Short mmCIF file of all heavy atoms in Angstrom, two decimals:
data_model
loop_
_atom_site.label_atom_id
_atom_site.label_comp_id
_atom_site.label_asym_id
_atom_site.label_seq_id
_atom_site.Cartn_x
_atom_site.Cartn_y
_atom_site.Cartn_z
N TYR A 35 -15.14 6.96 -8.57
CA TYR A 35 -14.92 7.40 -7.20
C TYR A 35 -14.00 8.61 -7.07
O TYR A 35 -13.95 9.23 -6.01
CB TYR A 35 -14.39 6.24 -6.35
CG TYR A 35 -15.40 5.12 -6.25
CD1 TYR A 35 -15.25 3.96 -6.99
CD2 TYR A 35 -16.52 5.25 -5.43
CE1 TYR A 35 -16.18 2.95 -6.92
CE2 TYR A 35 -17.45 4.23 -5.35
CZ TYR A 35 -17.29 3.08 -6.10
OH TYR A 35 -18.21 2.08 -6.03
N ASN A 36 -13.24 8.91 -8.12
CA ASN A 36 -12.37 10.09 -8.13
C ASN A 36 -11.49 10.19 -6.87
O ASN A 36 -11.44 11.23 -6.22
CB ASN A 36 -13.24 11.34 -8.29
CG ASN A 36 -12.43 12.55 -8.68
OD1 ASN A 36 -11.41 12.43 -9.33
ND2 ASN A 36 -12.90 13.72 -8.27
N PRO A 37 -10.78 9.11 -6.50
CA PRO A 37 -9.96 9.16 -5.28
C PRO A 37 -8.77 10.09 -5.45
O PRO A 37 -8.30 10.31 -6.57
CB PRO A 37 -9.50 7.71 -5.11
CG PRO A 37 -9.43 7.19 -6.51
CD PRO A 37 -10.60 7.85 -7.22
N ASP A 38 -8.30 10.64 -4.35
CA ASP A 38 -7.09 11.45 -4.40
C ASP A 38 -5.88 10.57 -4.69
O ASP A 38 -4.92 11.01 -5.34
CB ASP A 38 -6.87 12.18 -3.08
CG ASP A 38 -7.87 13.30 -2.87
OD1 ASP A 38 -8.43 13.81 -3.87
OD2 ASP A 38 -8.11 13.68 -1.71
N LEU A 39 -5.92 9.33 -4.22
CA LEU A 39 -4.77 8.45 -4.31
C LEU A 39 -5.26 7.00 -4.33
O LEU A 39 -6.26 6.68 -3.70
CB LEU A 39 -3.90 8.70 -3.07
CG LEU A 39 -2.59 7.99 -2.96
CD1 LEU A 39 -1.54 8.99 -2.50
CD2 LEU A 39 -2.69 6.88 -1.95
N LEU A 40 -4.57 6.16 -5.07
CA LEU A 40 -4.90 4.74 -5.13
C LEU A 40 -3.61 3.94 -5.04
O LEU A 40 -2.65 4.21 -5.78
CB LEU A 40 -5.61 4.42 -6.46
CG LEU A 40 -5.98 2.97 -6.73
CD1 LEU A 40 -7.02 2.46 -5.72
CD2 LEU A 40 -6.51 2.82 -8.15
N CYS A 41 -3.57 2.97 -4.13
CA CYS A 41 -2.40 2.11 -3.96
C CYS A 41 -2.70 0.73 -4.53
O CYS A 41 -3.69 0.11 -4.15
CB CYS A 41 -2.05 1.98 -2.48
SG CYS A 41 -1.52 3.51 -1.70
N LEU A 42 -1.84 0.26 -5.43
CA LEU A 42 -1.99 -1.04 -6.06
C LEU A 42 -0.77 -1.89 -5.73
O LEU A 42 0.36 -1.41 -5.80
CB LEU A 42 -2.10 -0.91 -7.58
CG LEU A 42 -3.21 0.00 -8.11
CD1 LEU A 42 -3.03 0.23 -9.61
CD2 LEU A 42 -4.57 -0.60 -7.81
N GLN A 43 -1.01 -3.16 -5.36
CA GLN A 43 0.09 -4.09 -5.10
C GLN A 43 -0.03 -5.28 -6.03
O GLN A 43 -1.08 -5.56 -6.58
CB GLN A 43 0.07 -4.60 -3.64
CG GLN A 43 0.19 -3.52 -2.59
CD GLN A 43 -1.15 -2.94 -2.20
OE1 GLN A 43 -2.15 -3.63 -2.20
NE2 GLN A 43 -1.18 -1.67 -1.89
N GLU A 44 1.08 -6.02 -6.12
CA GLU A 44 1.20 -7.18 -7.01
C GLU A 44 0.79 -6.80 -8.42
O GLU A 44 -0.05 -7.45 -9.04
CB GLU A 44 0.38 -8.37 -6.50
CG GLU A 44 1.08 -9.13 -5.40
CD GLU A 44 0.52 -10.52 -5.20
OE1 GLU A 44 0.81 -11.39 -6.05
OE2 GLU A 44 -0.19 -10.73 -4.22
N THR A 45 1.42 -5.76 -8.92
CA THR A 45 1.10 -5.28 -10.27
C THR A 45 1.64 -6.21 -11.35
O THR A 45 1.15 -6.18 -12.48
CB THR A 45 1.63 -3.84 -10.45
OG1 THR A 45 3.02 -3.82 -10.13
CG2 THR A 45 0.86 -2.87 -9.57
N HIS A 46 2.65 -7.01 -11.04
CA HIS A 46 3.16 -8.10 -11.87
C HIS A 46 3.69 -7.73 -13.24
O HIS A 46 3.89 -8.63 -14.05
CB HIS A 46 2.07 -9.15 -12.12
CG HIS A 46 1.80 -10.03 -10.95
ND1 HIS A 46 1.40 -11.32 -11.11
CD2 HIS A 46 1.85 -9.82 -9.62
CE1 HIS A 46 1.20 -11.87 -9.93
NE2 HIS A 46 1.46 -10.97 -9.02
N SER A 47 3.85 -6.50 -13.56
CA SER A 47 4.33 -6.25 -14.92
C SER A 47 4.85 -4.84 -15.08
O SER A 47 4.66 -3.98 -14.23
CB SER A 47 3.21 -6.48 -15.93
OG SER A 47 2.35 -5.37 -15.99
N ALA A 48 5.46 -4.66 -16.22
CA ALA A 48 5.92 -3.33 -16.59
C ALA A 48 4.91 -2.66 -17.52
O ALA A 48 5.21 -1.65 -18.14
CB ALA A 48 7.29 -3.42 -17.25
N ASP A 49 3.70 -3.24 -17.63
CA ASP A 49 2.66 -2.61 -18.45
C ASP A 49 2.41 -1.20 -17.94
O ASP A 49 2.47 -0.94 -16.74
CB ASP A 49 1.35 -3.40 -18.38
CG ASP A 49 1.43 -4.72 -19.13
OD1 ASP A 49 2.43 -4.93 -19.84
OD2 ASP A 49 0.51 -5.52 -18.97
#
Side-chain angles (χ1 to χ4, degrees):
Y35 296 103
N36 196 29
D38 289 337
L39 185 135
L40 177 65
C41 295
L42 304 170
Q43 300 88 33
E44 280 199 74
T45 54
H46 284 212
S47 80
D49 289 350

